[in-house]
Amino acid sequence: MTHARNDGPPAATSALELNGICRRFGRRWVLRGIDLQLARGETLGLMGRNGSGKTTLLRIISTALKPTRGSGRVFGHDLVREADAVRERVGVLGHAPGLYEDLTGEENLRFALGMLGWTPDARRIADLLERVGLAGVRERVRAYSAGMRRRLALARVLMVRPDLLLLDAPFARFDEEGLTLVCD
């Protein structure tokens, strides 16, 4: 007799599905009835004024914030009930780079991998630093320009190979060459 394995939800056809997502802070509604479907491999840009709810929506998708109403799924996993499974698939580059200024770029990546319980892979780290244009940079992060910090933060997000990459204000602090990193 054979038994079917149940490793979670069936393979999702969409990377992201949002249905009626709403979020309220006190009496103020920031998001009302957001419906969205994003297929695997698609790119979506959110445009709007400051305070229009873009970051709030990204926080909900990344499970850092629960919706007041509505539901959503990331690769078939429910945003609220399966938040851990969602976080395993999502990488977020927010406003704050979250870097350690007393460490070099390489040391920051090694430390981040160690905090995840992963064995730091020197080749992978070197490849990521090359990819974001920081290969050979040996200074401590405190000496980095704002754009270099943003590049290193992007490398840190990419090192876990997320299936869905969320970039909050993706063009902030990147020079022309850095913009190609987030647009490719």
Side-chain angles (χ1 to χ4, degrees):
M1 183 167 153
T2 61
H3 295 280
R5 255 183 88 178
N6 183 3
D7 290 330
T13 57
S14 295
L16 175 64
E17 296 175 48
L18 302 178
N19 300 299
I21 292 290
C22 299
R23 178 61 196 193
R24 182 175 71 195
F25 293 104
R27 293 180 164 197
R28 183 171 171 252
W29 287 95
V30 178
L31 300 173
R32 290 188 188 189
I34 303 295
D35 295 317
L36 177 72
Q37 187 163 348
L38 188 67
R40 292 172 185 262
E42 280 188 316
T43 300
L44 172 71
L46 300 175
M47 305 288 286
R49 297 183 331 264
N50 290 343
S52 63
K54 300 177 302 291
T55 297
T56 299
L57 183 61
L58 293 179
R59 292 185 66 211
I60 288 171
I61 295 168
S62 68
T63 75
L65 188 63
K66 290 182 180 179
T68 304
R69 290 191 197 139
S71 63
R73 299 181 87 68
V74 172
F75 295 103
H77 297 284
D78 185 272
L79 290 175
V80 176
R81 291 188 308 271
E82 300 174 279
D84 288 341
V86 170
R87 284 190 288 273
E88 288 177 10
R89 311 273 316 253
V90 173
V92 181
L93 178 58
H95 291 283
L99 303 170
Y100 293 93
E101 295 206 349
D102 290 330
L103 302 178
T104 65
E106 179 181 341
E107 290 168 342
N108 264 275
L109 295 182
R110 284 185 181 285
F111 180 76
L113 285 169
M115 292 301 293
L116 291 170
W118 297 6
T119 302
D121 176 357
R123 182 75 250 148
R124 174 88 176 124
I125 291 171
D127 289 346
L128 282 167
L129 291 172
E130 176 75 32
R131 181 173 177 189
V132 299
L134 295 175
V137 177
R138 303 284 182 246
E139 293 91 8
R140 302 206 181 283
V141 169
R142 83 166 59 87
Y144 282 22
S145 69
M148 291 169 72
R149 289 169 191 247
R150 190 76 169 160
R151 287 172 183 235
L152 182 58
L154 178 61
R156 195 186 67 227
V157 171
L158 294 176
M159 79 182 171
V160 296
R161 297 181 174 108
D163 296 315
L164 179 63
L165 182 58
L166 303 175
L167 305 171
D168 197 356
F171 305 118
R173 297 190 175 126
F174 276 122
D175 56 13
E176 188 174 323
E177 182 181 326
L179 288 175
T180 63
L181 296 171
V182 295
C183 293
D184 282 345

